[in-house]
Amino acid sequence: MAAIGWVEHVIWWQIYPLGFVGAYPAAVPPEAGEHRLRRIVDWFDHAIALGASGIALGPIFASRSHGYDTTDHYRIDPRLGDDADFDNLVAEAHRRGLRVLLDGVFNHVGPDFPRDRETWFRDYSFEGHGDLTTLNHDNPEVAEYVADVMTHWLGRGADGWRLDAAYAVPPKFWAAVLPRVREVRPDAWFVGELIHGDYAAAVDETGFDSVTQYELWKAIWSSLNDGNFYELDWALQRHNTFLRRFAPLTFIGNHDVTRIASKLENSAHLAHALVLQMTVGGVPSVYAGDEFGYRGVKEERFGGDDAVRPEFGSPPAPVDEHGAQVWALHQYLIGLRRRHPWLFAASTTTLRLDNRHYVYRTDRDDEAWIVALNIDESPLEMELEPAQVIAGSGAPPQDVVQRLVVEPHGWRILRPT
């Protein structure tokens, strides 16, 4: 698996800017003069303390409402600020060693997007949203436009693009656009938003560097809730096949789904979900607020995303004892991940599997860990190759052991000796 060098070390902290700075929804929309984009910069030191090395931004370009109804791809949304605010954000991020990922909405546009080019549009809305018009991706002018937009903002300092609704765009469109962009910025990273389907085939057909790993996201919370690690095992076997071709973007929360703390039926299993994300191959992304155990349920209605896209005030965020514990766990596991970059392309092998116990080996070349998850009411006990406990619930680092014991609803990470 070939990869852009810096990506092997990146862990994204993802935010939804319009909600993060209180620009949407808002009773009175802010104006450019408020420079709210700069409020995000105030949180960069928090991202670094978390262990992140990149900032993944949601939509920041001019739109009427939620940002995915783009009006002008060359203009910063005036509710967030202006070009100078963007330049400041990029400069402050790079000064701290943080990469910047932009969100590109190139499948559809909003009602205020100029309609003077009739051949640029198709005659249908996007997924039933009457205010979103799908672009005509068979038109070479559209491809030229998208390539120019992407190149423009990479030239202004961005490091890559998340390609929104990439699953709805013909693969040949991306295959035509991305090489043009790479000619200008060969070190840029492109991740397509895919939900279902053949991820590996999509990467081959489009030229994406990565795709969103929704299969693994679903298997993590579903297997923990249902007491069915067989589902997780199946998903990790699929994940292994993807890793032979590319490194998927892994997540247990984002701006489009119910927060993991609300999704899990047992709050003790939040640790298991994070352990999984941080010990398997891929490019991890942490959604802002999940590191504090924030809750929020996405609903299928107008305004149904608002609960998972709250406003953040000035740092530091006020947290209770539980939030402090969740924060400490994130710091520890992300730090562990950062110190072992081989995990970027690590594959997993199942050592023990039943409904409520899962033990796997994650390895790459000569490096390996053993990860044990127990969501049962009884202890997990099993014989292992000699290994040292390096992390776990209620388990400080220990000497080498050959008999593993994990308390009910506990977890361990061990290093074979």
Side-chain angles (χ1 to χ4, degrees), residues 108-130:
H108 50 271
V109 293
D112 298 328
F113 191 88
R115 289 297 195 273
D116 56 337
R117 299 169 176 173
E118 294 181 2
T119 61
W120 278 39
F121 310 102
R122 297 197 182 276
D123 295 329
Y124 51 81
S125 62
F126 175 61
E127 296 184 346
H129 299 281

Side-chain angles (χ1 to χ4, degrees), residues 12 54 85 91 116 130 159 179 202 234-235 247 265 276-278 281 289 293 337 345 363:
W12 298 107
D85 298 318
D116 56 337
D159 297 288
W234 181 89
E265 296 172 2
L276 278 160
Q277 185 192 14
M278 293 301 162
R337 173 85 181 207
D363 60 23

Side-chain angles (χ1 to χ4, degrees), residues 259-276:
R259 285 193 182 269
I260 189 66
S262 294
K263 199 74 174 177
L264 292 174
E265 296 172 2
N266 186 333
S267 61
H269 297 161
L270 178 60
H272 298 68
L274 187 62
V275 167
L276 278 160

Side-chain angles (χ1 to χ4, degrees), residues 10 24 254 357:
V10 75
Y24 179 85
N254 66 30
H357 305 113

